[in-house]
Amino acid sequence: LPIYMWILNNAANALNGLSAVIFAPMSFLLYIVLSFLIPSSSGMATVSMPIMGPLTQSLGLAPEVMVCVLSGACALINGITPTSGVLMGGISISRIEFSTWVKYIWKVLLAMLLVHVVILSVAMVIF
């Protein structure tokens, strides 16, 4: 059993039964971890949505918002992960070292993480 499937199955069991306000940020953090292991957003959707989609529906929450959780976490991690070809190519063309990029972007990514979590939590409650 691959490590990402073990993480996903255990996380799904832990998330089962949580309220929308807790479910959204915890699933966002799950997707951040999985985004490091699976850098492809389509691969991530293929692996995780058969588990997380029905779990979201069984809790009476909006599966559409779960798709936003997936895409938001993948986008956030693609701004810092060294496995992103676009990021590494862009900073290479700009002649910026990866360590310099991380020192610059971490505050922006932290702010984006907080905004994502708030918006997704509100969306889970409303929809």
Side-chain angles (χ1 to χ4, degrees), residues 92-112:
S92 176
I93 289 171
S94 303
R95 294 189 174 98
I96 299 171
E97 291 186 26
F98 182 69
S99 60
T100 305
W101 173 253
V102 172
K103 289 177 189 174
Y104 169 77
I105 200 67
W106 78 268
K107 291 178 186 175
V108 175
L109 291 177
L110 181 63
M112 287 174 56

Side-chain angles (χ1 to χ4, degrees), residues 5-6 10 13-14 23 27 33 38 70 73 76 81-82 88 95 98 102 105 122 127:
M5 287 304 294
W6 180 82
N10 287 323
N13 290 333
F23 182 81
S27 58
V33 171
I38 307 170
L70 164 89
L76 190 70
T81 186
M88 297 308 287
R95 294 189 174 98
F98 182 69
V102 172
I105 200 67
V122 170
F127 299 108

Side-chain angles (χ1 to χ4, degrees), residues 11-123:
N13 290 333
L15 292 171
N16 194 10
L18 294 179
S19 69
V21 175
I22 297 171
F23 182 81
M26 297 307 289
S27 58
F28 191 78
L29 292 176
L30 167 67
Y31 275 111
I32 285 176
V33 171
L34 289 174
S35 291
F36 278 110
L37 299 173
I38 307 170
S40 165
S41 57
S42 58
M44 174 76 71
T46 302
V47 167
S48 66
M49 278 301 149
I51 295 170
M52 296 304 287
L55 173 62
T56 305
Q57 284 181 318
S58 72
L59 295 173
L61 303 174
E64 297 86 359
V65 179
M66 182 53 68
V67 173
C68 293
V69 168
L70 164 89
S71 59
C74 287
L76 190 70
I77 294 305
N78 281 337
I80 197 166
T81 186
T83 57
S84 171
V86 173
L87 172 69
M88 297 308 287
I91 65 174
S92 176
I93 289 171
S94 303
R95 294 189 174 98
I96 299 171
E97 291 186 26
F98 182 69
S99 60
T100 305
W101 173 253
V102 172
K103 289 177 189 174
Y104 169 77
I105 200 67
W106 78 268
K107 291 178 186 175
V108 175
L109 291 177
L110 181 63
M112 287 174 56
L113 180 128
L114 295 174
V115 169
H116 272 102
V117 167
V118 169
I119 290 172
L120 293 169
S121 296
V122 170

